[in-house]
Amino acid sequence: MRLALVTSFPPSRKGLNEYGFHVADELRRHSGLELTILADYLPEPQPELPEFSVMRCWGFDRLSNPVSLLRTVRRLKPDVVWYNIGFASFGGKPLPAFFGLTLPALTRLSSCYTHVTLHQLFETVDLADASVTSPTLYRAAGHIATHLLLSANSLSVLLPAYHRTLRDKYGRGTVNVRHHGIFASCPEEPDLSLRGNPVHRVLAFGKWGTYKRLELLIEAFEQVAAKSMPVELIVAGGDHPKTPGYVQSVAERVKDNPLIRFVGYVPEESIPELFRTASLTVMPYSSSAGASGVAHLACQYGLPILASDIEDFRELAEYELVSMELFTPNDVESLAGHLVSLLHSPERLTQMARQNFSAALQMSMPQVIRQYIHSFDLQRRLRMLRTFSKLRSSPRWMPTRRLMARRIEKSLEAWRSSGF
């Protein structure tokens, strides 16, 4: 099976690049699968990751993406084109973002089986947090874009609430709910002795500046530290594309506090140490985060989670059996109170850590990818059967009958050799 994965991909740092890497890393391990990654352009030339076939054929905020990406797809002629995207994957400006979201429908029109893994819905976005200047126009464009995405052969969302929204509001398309998955094949059980010994490290990890802001967390942390608790705040990650310079400005304001450390962008190989030595992670978001990648990283390393009490987090905790403490959004006292309560309760932290690691074991990346591949292979078989049915019902004198027979023969041969 020839599969083209459309995603931002390292060394690019655009949104969903980490998820794209882990999906591709698992896909390339499957025998009989020929994977090509259709990735975003890099701001400057860098060596590609070894062992991956990468073609960079689209870019962030480029109006030419439909032309360049479709040209590449037609040249490759894959059996499946898989889009790993959110609503802002193709641009932060309205027109490039919208034109990018037309691509799955255009790919299907090019006779390729097209699947979309959609990480957010525009209905769940807080328009004020997202700095949207024309809310009415944004809602209209988002509604049309969602219809276009539903024109793909199939679409996966990562929370049941998103499936309900698409079913009730749009009533069309083939939509599945799938697990986001953790970024490991076999996660290592956490060593709880590394935590709170001698200092509790509170971890904040993400791309900061829009609905993920640090002021609330820093104010709450300073209240906790004032109680003479042995704590340290680690802020990891950089700026959201819409808020350049935000993290540096916050770091400058608290530069005299030795208990707050800003570590910047964290390379893949340094993530395990960061999560294994933290006592808990805090997600002080003011609005929807989708099926949070940070929450799944926390589960992978058996880390307790303290998060804003917003619908997506409640849904995630229920759907994937993740243990979260929830505080009132935008409430410093609520966040500080939960921090103190958790840090004074080692039994609760241990219970949360074990539950989250147990949840991680049920959604490893190999399990998630097997479900996708099984679905793609099933659709491939159905297409072959439909073609065979057309062949049987066509008159023997029909000129294209022999061509159809050859196509079926080639498809059967490729399917047998794929080992699925």
Side-chain angles (χ1 to χ4, degrees), residues 239-268:
D239 299 318
H240 188 279
K242 288 188 176 181
T243 55
Y246 170 74
V247 172
Q248 182 59 40
S249 68
V250 175
E252 187 65 25
R253 290 201 296 271
V254 297
K255 63 182 181 181
D256 295 328
N257 189 335
L259 300 179
I260 303 176
R261 285 200 294 128
F262 287 77
V263 299
Y265 175 78
V266 182
E268 189 74 25

Side-chain angles (χ1 to χ4, degrees), residues 2-150:
R2 297 187 307 277
L3 192 152
L5 176 65
V6 181
T7 181
S8 56
F9 193 75
S12 167
R13 294 186 183 179
K14 294 298 183 183
L16 301 178
N17 76 86
E18 298 96 342
Y19 193 80
F21 166 76
H22 288 284
V23 167
D25 190 45
E26 189 58 40
L27 286 170
R28 73 180 177 85
R29 301 175 191 275
H30 282 261
S31 61
L33 191 66
E34 183 183 326
L35 173 66
T36 304
I37 300 159
L38 306 185
D40 52 331
Y41 298 121
L42 299 173
E44 54 188 43
Q46 297 182 59
E48 297 291 357
L49 301 183
E51 301 183 355
F52 291 97
S53 174
V54 181
M55 299 180 68
R56 297 199 176 268
C57 56
W58 61 274
F60 194 75
D61 272 339
R62 295 203 182 196
L63 290 171
S64 60
N65 285 334
V67 174
S68 58
L69 200 149
L70 284 174
R71 183 188 297 130
T72 305
V73 168
R74 290 193 185 103
R75 188 165 68 248
L76 285 175
K77 297 180 180 178
D79 297 302
V80 177
V81 180
W82 181 1
Y83 285 85
N84 170 51
I85 56 174
F87 269 78
S89 287
F90 293 102
K93 298 175 183 176
L95 282 178
F98 180 81
F99 285 157
L101 295 175
T102 66
L103 275 162
L106 295 173
T107 306
R108 182 177 182 179
L109 289 174
S110 300
S111 301
C112 289
Y113 182 86
T114 305
H115 182 81
V116 176
T117 294
L118 186 61
H119 288 253
Q120 306 96 18
L121 298 186
F122 91 91
E123 283 88 353
T124 66
V125 175
D126 186 302
L127 301 186
D129 280 349
S131 303
V132 172
T133 55
S134 303
T136 302
L137 183 61
Y138 178 90
R139 290 190 186 94
H143 188 80
I144 295 169
T146 304
H147 272 293
L148 289 168
L149 291 171
L150 288 166

Side-chain angles (χ1 to χ4, degrees), residues 254-390:
V254 297
K255 63 182 181 181
D256 295 328
N257 189 335
L259 300 179
I260 303 176
R261 285 200 294 128
F262 287 77
V263 299
Y265 175 78
V266 182
E268 189 74 25
E269 62 272 14
S270 301
I271 287 177
E273 181 68 15
L274 186 70
F275 277 80
R276 285 171 183 153
T277 57
S279 294
L280 76 159
T281 188
V282 181
M283 298 191 290
Y285 306 169
S286 57
S287 62
S288 170
S292 169
V294 177
H296 288 86
L297 271 173
C299 289
Q300 179 176 327
Y301 294 103
L303 195 61
I305 300 170
L306 176 59
S308 301
D309 188 3
I310 57 180
E311 184 177 354
D312 280 1
F313 286 146
R314 291 194 299 271
E315 183 84 7
L316 178 63
E318 180 180 351
Y319 175 51
E320 296 187 336
L321 303 180
V322 174
S323 181
M324 289 185 182
E325 286 275 342
L326 301 175
F327 66 90
T328 305
N330 302 313
D331 189 321
V332 173
E333 299 301 326
S334 176
L335 174 52
H338 278 82
L339 272 173
V340 170
S341 175
L342 283 172
L343 294 175
H344 273 120
S345 179
E347 298 84 3
R348 173 63 175 152
L349 289 176
T350 298
Q351 181 269 326
M352 292 178 73
R354 288 176 175 164
Q355 181 175 334
N356 286 346
F357 184 71
S358 176
L361 295 176
Q362 306 305 313
M363 50 181 174
S364 68
M365 192 54 73
Q367 292 171 305
V368 172
I369 296 304
R370 275 197 299 270
Q371 292 176 359
Y372 277 108
I373 291 177
H374 175 74
S375 173
F376 297 157
D377 187 51
L378 179 61
Q379 293 301 322
R380 193 180 179 196
R381 296 187 199 193
L382 289 173
R383 291 201 303 276
M384 285 166 45
L385 288 172
R386 282 195 288 267
T387 305
F388 183 69
S389 177
K390 288 180 182 177

